[in-house]
Amino acid sequence: MAAYYNNDTMLYLDGAYVKASEAKIDLYSQTMHYGYGVFEGIRAYRTENGETKIFKPVEHYVRLERSARFLNLPYTYTVEELIEATYKVLELNNLQDAYIRPLVYAPANMSFVPNTESHITIQVWAMQPFLGEKLLRVMTSSYQRPNPKGFHIEAKASGHYVNSILASQEAKANGFDEALLNDMDGNIAEGPGANIFYEKFGRLYTPSTGNILPGITRATVFELAAQMGVEVVEKQFTTAELQTADAAFFCGTAAEVIGWESLDNTAFANNWNDSIGKQIQLAYKALVTESSIKETLKELA
Ligand code: PMP
């Protein structure tokens, strides 16, 4: 297991900064037993001029609140206080390039009645891109994403990730790097922890919202594509259509932008290095580190 903390690591817990090794949670928590909690995955980067910059912190904390409201979890925190707390935790741990994990969890409650209070923790650790930096061999999962009529699928709820874990473990057990899941109608939805785009004849395509977590990185890809003059089409599509793509990639805060080598052992037509996805990957890196694309290209050369 990765080392998420050591004896010196500090985290944020309900307004205080405490040692990770000494922080306690209630084992009777409803979150622990039922997966009834919400969280975020955020990244901070050391920018080109040496500052620590959290990428899109407002968007992430607004989504955390929306997720909590979807689940009826009491939520009393402001975006400003949580951003301030996050910078403080980064500083206390001497981290600039970091993954940030806020979690809103429930108190002791074995029943299904609503709670009158929630707890919040913010944890930070150094983390390489979640899916690595090599092109991915992706497998169509035998698992579907949760039915949006059974869950608030656009909420980042802890329990939803049982589905993600099953799918990812299945893909790895079969010798692949990651899974790709369909929605309940048999259209492509997303990966266990990332959104998907494919490229065909100079355009990008991505599943419409409704059956996916609408990612903040996905929205950033829309912005970068617009700047490049590349059209992005949101639509429903199947594995058969995806197999005719020129290239494909996953994107997410933890994964960043990562290209695919193949889907179900079928390679894509174009070389990743010549793809729009590769340009988006470079532009994303430049954006989050506030550096110019030229310098990013130099660094990667
Ligand atoms: N889909 C799922 C299921 C995810 O867990 C994530 C990661 N939060 C994403 C998509 C990408 O979202 P974001 O770009 O906001 O990190």
Side-chain angles (χ1 to χ4, degrees):
M1 280 291 138
Y4 296 100
Y5 66 95
N6 59 34
N7 274 339
D8 299 323
T9 305
M10 302 292 286
L11 54 72
Y12 177 81
L13 181 59
D14 293 334
Y17 301 91
V18 296
K19 274 195 158 190
S21 57
E22 290 167 11
K24 288 197 168 52
I25 70 149
D26 194 325
L27 287 175
Y28 294 73
S29 161
Q30 209 180 14
T31 308
M32 184 79 180
H33 290 251
Y34 305 129
Y36 176 67
V38 296
F39 68 100
E40 265 306 315
I42 314 177
R43 269 188 191 274
Y45 293 88
R46 180 187 156 91
T47 64
E48 197 181 45
N49 67 14
E51 281 174 35
T52 307
K53 210 67 187 278
I54 302 171
F55 185 62
K56 297 200 170 177
V58 174
E59 286 84 341
H60 281 283
Y61 281 119
V62 165
R63 186 170 68 186
L64 184 67
E65 176 163 3
R66 268 172 54 84
S67 297
R69 301 235 177 270
F70 271 127
L71 270 73
N72 306 320
L73 283 162
Y75 194 95
T76 54
Y77 325 106
T78 67
V79 168
E80 294 72 30
E81 81 180 85
L82 294 180
I83 293 176
E84 198 186 310
T86 308
Y87 274 111
K88 177 87 177 164
V89 184
L90 288 168
E91 196 189 311
L92 289 172
N93 290 291
N94 284 318
L95 281 171
Q96 291 200 289
D97 288 306
Y99 184 69
I100 300 157
R101 171 53 61 81
L103 168 69
V104 176
Y105 62 95
N109 182 359
M110 291 298 116
S111 81
F112 299 156
V113 301
N115 300 298
T116 53
E117 55 166 23
S118 294
H119 297 285
I120 187 165
T121 175
I122 303 172
Q123 302 160 3
V124 298
W125 62 88
M127 191 174 86
Q128 293 306 306
F130 165 61
L131 297 169
E133 302 195 78
K134 286 209 318 258
L135 295 186
L136 301 175
R137 296 179 53 252
V138 177
M139 175 192 136
T140 302
S141 185
S142 73
Y143 296 97
Q144 293 181 343
R145 288 293 288 160
N147 180 342
K149 290 185 176 142
F151 295 89
H152 292 290
I153 197 75
E154 63 273 56
K156 204 164 162 61
S158 301
H160 296 177
Y161 286 80
V162 175
N163 171 258
S164 299
I165 291 170
L166 288 171
S168 204
Q169 289 182 350
E170 178 193 51
K172 285 177 181 127
N174 283 282
F176 292 86
D177 298 311
E178 188 55 301
L180 177 67
L181 291 89
N182 284 334
D183 65 22
M184 57 180 285
D185 302 318
N187 292 310
I188 300 290
E190 59 190 331
N195 292 116
I196 179 232
F197 283 79
Y198 81 80
E199 174 185 336
K200 180 86 175 180
F201 300 145
R203 277 202 195 110
L204 290 177
Y205 296 85
T206 195
S208 336
T209 55
N211 298 330
I212 60 168
L213 184 83
I216 290 163
T217 319
R218 177 181 181 273
T220 308
V221 170
F222 278 68
E223 290 161 18
L224 295 172
Q227 285 165 23
M228 293 172 183
V230 171
E231 192 186 338
V232 186
V233 180
E234 289 178 270
K235 62 173 220 163
Q236 307 295 4
F237 56 88
T238 61
T239 307
E241 183 172 336
L242 179 56
Q243 270 178 329
T244 69
D246 293 332
F249 60 89
F250 272 137
C251 69
T253 300
E256 302 181 327
V257 175
I258 182 71
W260 292 11
E261 180 184 304
S262 58
L263 173 63
D264 300 327
N265 288 320
T266 305
F268 290 95
N270 288 4
N271 187 323
W272 169 251
N273 285 329
D274 303 327
S275 71
I276 298 170
K278 175 73 183 187
Q279 297 302 313
I280 298 269
Q281 183 183 49
L282 295 175
Y284 184 77
K285 187 173 162 79
L287 180 68
V288 296
T289 56
E290 299 186 352
S291 44
S292 72
I293 286 251
K294 242 195 249 149
E295 263 124 40
T296 306
L297 287 171
K298 238 190 285 163
E299 200 186 302
L300 293 177

